[in-house]
Amino acid sequence: MITIAPSLLSADFGKLSEELAEVADAGAEWLHFDVMDGHFVPNISMGIPVLKSVRKATDLFLDAHLMITEPIRYVRQFCEAGADLVNVHVEADSQERILQALKMIRQEGKRSGVTIKPATPWEAVVPFLDEIDLVLVMTVEPGFGGQHFMAEQLAKVRSLHGLISEQKREIRLEVDGGVDKDTAPLCIEAGADVLVAGSAVFGRKDRMEAVRLIRGESV
Ligand code: DX5
Ligand code: ZN
């Protein structure tokens, strides 16, 4: 089962509740919520108060992608604000503190994930496998929506898919960056089962059509 996670980063924040209703009606199962601190990535997006409002406005599963340094400082607050899953970058702190952050997320009763940037090898997630429900492979440099899909990242998706199935782990495999109707089939073929899409959903007028196209359905 393929899950579509529209990324709110490309939405019109002036009419958030309408945007949320449209993607839910379009059949998206998750909502991807990008948090940027201007330090881990060269951009600033949204944070805890916005997540709280989004939580009140939608029943969609909220997938928080924390592009922040030392996420251990904030994971509890993102859980309390209503995230269903919290993703932290393996590059954002020491291995020990990332492990602690993942444990905290689970203690809050939420799902946990680790994310890897394009330059990070897939093996970097191995120390965290017992503490995660999802791995996110970035297919662009984190920081901005609307970038070009990095097809060479698919080899990492393939390796991780192999590892997860070989070890029979219940870990979802997510891709984020440049996913659209043309690149989505490549991600699925490589083994991804959660597809994040920002501009390919919110950049189009008809969100229903946009979600269906990414899923590979006819419109
Ligand atoms: C980039 C973010 C992505 C972004 C994807 O740093 O993590 O979630 O919104 O946007 P598109 O789908 O436009 O590449
Ligand atoms: Zn993201």
Side-chain angles (χ1 to χ4, degrees):
M1 169 73 188
I2 301 299
T3 297
I4 309 289
S7 166
L8 199 61
L9 194 62
S10 300
D12 181 347
F13 296 135
K15 44 174 191 165
L16 261 191
S17 46
E18 271 172 57
E19 297 281 60
L20 293 169
E22 278 189 33
V23 288
D25 286 350
E29 296 86 358
W30 289 16
L31 185 82
H32 187 78
F33 189 90
D34 286 304
V35 181
M36 305 179 184
D37 65 353
H39 185 262
F40 183 74
V41 289
N43 199 5
I44 296 179
S45 57
M46 54 216 171
I48 295 155
V50 180
L51 184 60
K52 279 188 189 156
S53 300
V54 169
R55 177 71 293 165
K56 280 190 225 150
T58 186
D59 292 329
L60 287 167
F61 181 95
L62 298 182
D63 166 30
H65 175 195
L66 304 191
M67 286 164 273
I68 67 175
T69 304
E70 297 179 54
I72 193 169
R73 298 173 298 150
Y74 291 106
V75 289
R76 214 169 256 142
Q77 288 181 62
F78 278 99
C79 292
E80 284 164 5
D84 294 296
L85 185 148
V86 179
N87 264 312
V88 297
H89 269 264
V90 301
E91 307 89 355
D93 207 342
S94 66
Q95 183 175 312
E96 196 191 318
R97 279 164 51 94
I98 293 295
L99 270 174
Q100 278 174 26
L102 295 168
K103 286 186 180 144
M104 271 183 194
I105 297 165
R106 283 190 162 172
Q107 276 161 11
E108 292 291 320
K110 308 295 180 148
R111 292 190 217 173
S112 58
V114 286
T115 306
I116 51 174
K117 295 208 278 186
T120 304
W122 66 268
E123 291 90 342
V125 309
V126 171
F128 307 108
L129 289 175
D130 288 340
E131 299 299 335
I132 54 174
D133 305 291
L134 176 143
V135 175
L136 167 53
V137 176
M138 292 302 301
T139 41
V140 297
E141 276 305 330
F144 301 90
Q147 301 181 76
H148 189 69
F149 181 77
M150 298 167 82
E152 70 276 14
Q153 298 300 319
L154 291 173
K156 280 155 58 172
V157 176
R158 245 175 235 118
S159 302
L160 284 163
H161 179 66
L163 179 81
I164 292 166
S165 8
E166 204 180 281
Q167 298 193 358
K168 298 191 171 53
R169 291 191 182 258
E170 287 201 13
I171 295 179
R172 304 290 306 265
L173 190 48
E174 181 175 39
V175 286
D176 181 10
V179 177
D180 60 18
K181 67 173 180 20
D182 301 319
T183 55
L186 308 175
C187 299
I188 295 167
E189 188 272 326
D193 56 18
V194 184
L195 308 182
V196 176
S199 38
V201 172
F202 289 108
R204 291 177 68 107
K205 245 203 192 106
D206 187 335
R207 277 71 196 262
M208 178 87 75
E209 191 177 286
V211 170
R212 293 183 66 121
L213 281 172
I214 295 165
R215 233 192 260 288
E217 293 169 359
S218 52
V219 292

